[in-house]
Amino acid sequence: DQQVKQNSPSLSVQEGRISILNCDYTNSMFDYFLWYKKYPAEGPTFLISISSIKDKNEDGRFTVFLNKSAKHLSLHIVPSQPGDSAVYFCAASAGAGSYQLTFGKGTKLSVIP
Amino acid sequence: DAGVIQSPRHEVTEMGQEVTLRCKPISGHDYLFWYRQTMMRGLELLIYFNNNVPIDDSGMPEDRFSAKMPNASFSTLKIQPSEPRDSAVYFCASSLDGFNSPLHFGNGTRLTVT
């Protein structure tokens, strides 16, 4: 069973507009969430994270929102740029003392110039 | 900082052969992880080490898989004998403090077993 789900395999967005990538989780023990970005033929690179004590974390053009009651998080990219075209992975862990990081299967974002 | 270095980038081998994947973590990182990525299952954790000691190998699929970390700057993942279903991209990652700090991934080894 998938504990971290990214239900949209792909997303296309016009340059300059907002990209919203979604992620749902089922394990209520998860309390630390991360987003990774992956370009072809490269490993995933860390983008942004959020702890369950927060509902929002912002870093430049990237904002992650966490809705614990809905077990849902989203990544907003504003404004989207062609260089943002990549596969985005959502990941979750049960935090301190737990070293199992569970990844979603990824969403491929294409930003159209 | 050269990042996590994996070799080879690509490996093509025949079923039944031994395969060894190599990883050099970032200097100073105490944790090292081996992941496997497939279309069906996505990114799966195979095993991780803390200070060169294997901590959790519950993700290792079978006894055909083994991993070692003889020192802080080198780890290997070995598959013996290899099978076609082992075909995947294998990533090595390291971090300062387990999953509480971001993982730094290598560029992966794409393994094809024919």
Side-chain angles (χ1 to χ4, degrees), chain B residues 10-94:
Chain B
H10 303 274
E11 177 78 38
V12 180
T13 191
E14 291 185 348
M15 177 176 160
Q17 296 298 306
E18 177 179 298
V19 174
T20 300
L21 311 181
R22 297 172 176 80
C23 175
K24 176 179 167 54
I26 292 173
S27 177
H29 282 192
D30 292 335
Y31 287 81
L32 183 139
F33 306 83
W34 282 100
Y35 280 85
R36 177 172 69 174
Q37 184 184 26
T38 61
M39 289 292 291
M40 287 292 291
R41 301 173 69 90
L43 271 163
E44 304 174 277
L45 176 66
L46 300 178
I47 185 171
Y48 79 91
F49 296 82
N50 179 21
N51 292 322
N52 314 338
V53 176
I55 302 300
D56 184 353
D57 66 354
S58 60
M60 296 284 262
E62 300 171 29
D63 291 344
R64 299 183 295 106
F65 285 69
S66 63
K68 294 183 180 179
M69 192 165 186
N71 57 63
S73 59
F74 184 65
S75 176
T76 60
L77 177 68
K78 187 175 292 187
I79 308 172
Q80 165 64 18
S82 57
E83 296 182 3
R85 61 191 166 126
D86 302 330
S87 297
V89 181
Y90 291 81
F91 289 103
C92 175
S94 68

Side-chain angles (χ1 to χ4, degrees), chain A residues 27 55 76 83 107 110:
Chain A
N27 189 339
D55 53 19
H76 292 211
T107 296
S110 299

